[in-house]
Amino acid sequence: MNLPAPSRVPLNALPRMGAGVVASVDWHALTEPEARRLRELGLDEGVEVELLRPSGLMGGPVACRIGRMIVALRRHVAGAIHVAPTAG
Amino acid sequence: MNPAPLVALVGNPNAGKSALFNALTGARQKVGNYPGVTVERHAGRLALADGRPVELLDLPGTYSLDPSSPDEAVTRDVLLGKQAGERLPDAIVVVVDAANLDNHLRFTLQLIALGLPMVVALNMFDLAERDGLVLDPEALERELGVPVVPTVAVRRRGLDALKERLAEVISPGARTLREGHGVPHDITVLQRRARQIALAATVSETAVRRWTHRIDAVALHPVAGPVLLFGLMFVMFQAVFAWSEAPIGWIEGLMAWLGEQAGALIPAGWLHSLVVDGVIAGVGAVVVFLPQILILFAFILTLEASGYMVRAAFLMDRLMASVGLSGRAFIPLLSSFACAVPGIMATRTIADDKDRLTTILIAPLMTCSARWPVYTMVIGAFFPNRQVLPFVGLQGLVAFGLLITGILGALAAALILRRTVTRGATSGFMMEMPKYQWPQPRDLLLGLAQRAEVFLKRAGSIILVTTIVLWALLSFPKAPDGQSQVEYSIAGRIGSAIEVVVAPIGFNRDISLALLPAMSAREVAVAAIGTVYAIDDPEGDAGQETIREKLQSRWSLATALAFLVWFVFAPQCISTIAVTRRETNGWKWPAFMVGYLFALAYAGAGITYWTAVALGLG
Ligand SMILES: Nc1nc2c(ncn2[C@@H]2O[C@H](COP(=O)(O)OP(=O)(O)OP(=O)(O)O)[C@@H](O)[C@H]2O)c(=O)[nH]1
Ligand SMILES: [Mg+2]
């Protein structure tokens, strides 16, 4: 049985300072070292994330909060992280 | 006699391991507020409360026992006893950031599974408090099953308790290593357990205003951020000129006085010439730049301590990606503004081989502190010290132009290298951004004192020796009356041979003489020119003023500009070549580096000279 899926957005599509909870990660979109380092930086389903600085027009990296840590990620990595935005 | 027990400091990057190491051993290892400061092992000694000596190891930070870069591999090898020539540690101190337990405890759990006796240093306890966290170290100790001691490394808090608990866990024969059997490598499982434990150890949490977010709103802003970074670099270069004038004058006065005193004391003859023309005119010409070096380092050390380095890397990532590198590489490059040698060592934090190699190859293009004496000598002689805009001095502006030339050269070189000799997969950029901190004044002063020491030691060793050799080669054989001593000497003849090669790019005899000795270190160019002029003009006194006047009368502006551009590119530094050999395990890459940089230097200086001559500046 599927409940109406809560809307999920890629991390880099959150509004600036928008927060959410990681719903799923598309690990296959990442290289093996990328996936490992991302896990090592604490990324996991159920962890709270917040987009601090979106990627910008030039497609540069994003800065986000993962749990208690601020982390810089390339845009395609942020795009593989699917977030259920928290209201507010 | 048994050797002292070996204890290793382990933990995530930027947890405060080196700060704790310094506090415990009295060492002065480099501490900085960004991940990847320590890239190799360092040993030190400490005495436990019961007087037992312990050998303490400071190690590079790592997130797990599966390394992704060469520095992290060192830590794993030491912990598993695989490091060549190193015994297995008898115990470890796991340093964790109390304000980021969720993450740091994961690695701790992995380390506990290793089975070595251990103590957890719950470091940065003050920062956790600042963040509104109330932690219960005893609860943490119960959950983990190993001793936990709250510490504040930078305020030396908790050290005694740490030593006490360490003494308890170190007992001969207590260690067992379980790698291969029990060490879990599944990060996700460990991470979830770590989060539970962190929750259990947290008494309460109050939301507080987070300064880091506010500063980042500006520092990482798409427009304001780059403007701020550019502005910081600009101010740094302005300050090096603007603030150093008076202290340089004092040291110049001191050197002139020394020259007079020595000149009066030592009877005329070769010793007189050696001391006055060689040592004081040569080495003295370099030592006067100490204030500039210190101002430069004050800026760099402040940037490193504040947490801004990773922000700079963040801002540069897009640009770096376009030449096939990543923002991560910008941190070693920024360190290379101080000196390329530690900069090249810092590339050990770069995971990808080709990425790392490219960064090593372009690091010498950053405007290192050894270039300042050369730049200042020439800029001071040819560009008046006037304001072109409020707060913008012409001399600083020229130096800034040379910096930008170096950076653009480095980016262009990376672009070409990554498409040819260092082709490979593009690497990613994923980095933890530390919280901002005020630089510790004590660390800053110690760092500056250390740099002053290094600078003076260099002046007293490599620069002194090269200058004396050059003085000897310039002084013999004695020229017959009426002939120029410099031209008649051995050095003069070597210089003439070099001049044939560099005359097309506008270099004169003085420069030709300076180039070869300056291979040992760039500052030697200044010492060499000081010595050449002192020998050429036995009547003159050994002051900067005279060097400046002589440059003005003997060099054209076109030659001066070509000389400056030469020093932007040329690999005139034996230490850089040596460290490149060590870090790339062979002569191939240092030889390549020297070749391409000299080619760039020749072309760059030539184009500058010919353009300047065409514009009538010859
Ligand atoms: N407020 C506070 N700052 C600390 C404490 N311990 C270390 N620091 C600061 O944290 C930063 C990192 O310290 P380091 O000792 O360089 O960290 P490290 O673990 O050696 O880092 P790597 O060598 O990069 O792995 C520096 O800016 C220190 O001044 C502490 O207990 N409290
Ligand atoms: Mg360290």
Side-chain angles (χ1 to χ4, degrees), chain B residues 300-377:
Chain B
I300 294 176
L301 291 173
T302 307
L303 286 185
E304 288 181 339
S306 66
Y308 187 73
M309 293 295 269
V310 188
R311 273 73 185 184
F314 180 93
L315 295 171
M316 293 298 288
D317 182 61
R318 184 67 196 80
L319 183 61
M320 299 292 281
S322 68
V323 300
L325 293 174
S326 81
R328 172 124 228 171
F330 192 67
I331 292 178
L333 293 178
L334 210 55
S335 302
S336 300
F337 284 133
C339 174
V341 173
I344 286 173
M345 299 213 358
T347 62
R348 291 184 190 179
T349 57
I350 299 176
D352 181 74
D353 256 6
K354 292 290 170 52
D355 214 349
R356 172 163 182 241
L357 180 59
T358 314
T359 311
I360 291 177
L361 292 174
I362 64 172
L365 288 167
M366 300 298 117
T367 303
C368 68
S369 59
R371 283 173 170 94
W372 280 97
V374 180
Y375 286 0
T376 308
M377 176 183 76

Side-chain angles (χ1 to χ4, degrees), chain B residues 17-19 30-31 37-38 58-61:
Chain B
K17 297 176 293 301
S18 301
K30 181 165 175 182
V31 167
V37 179
T38 308
D58 183 22
L59 294 172

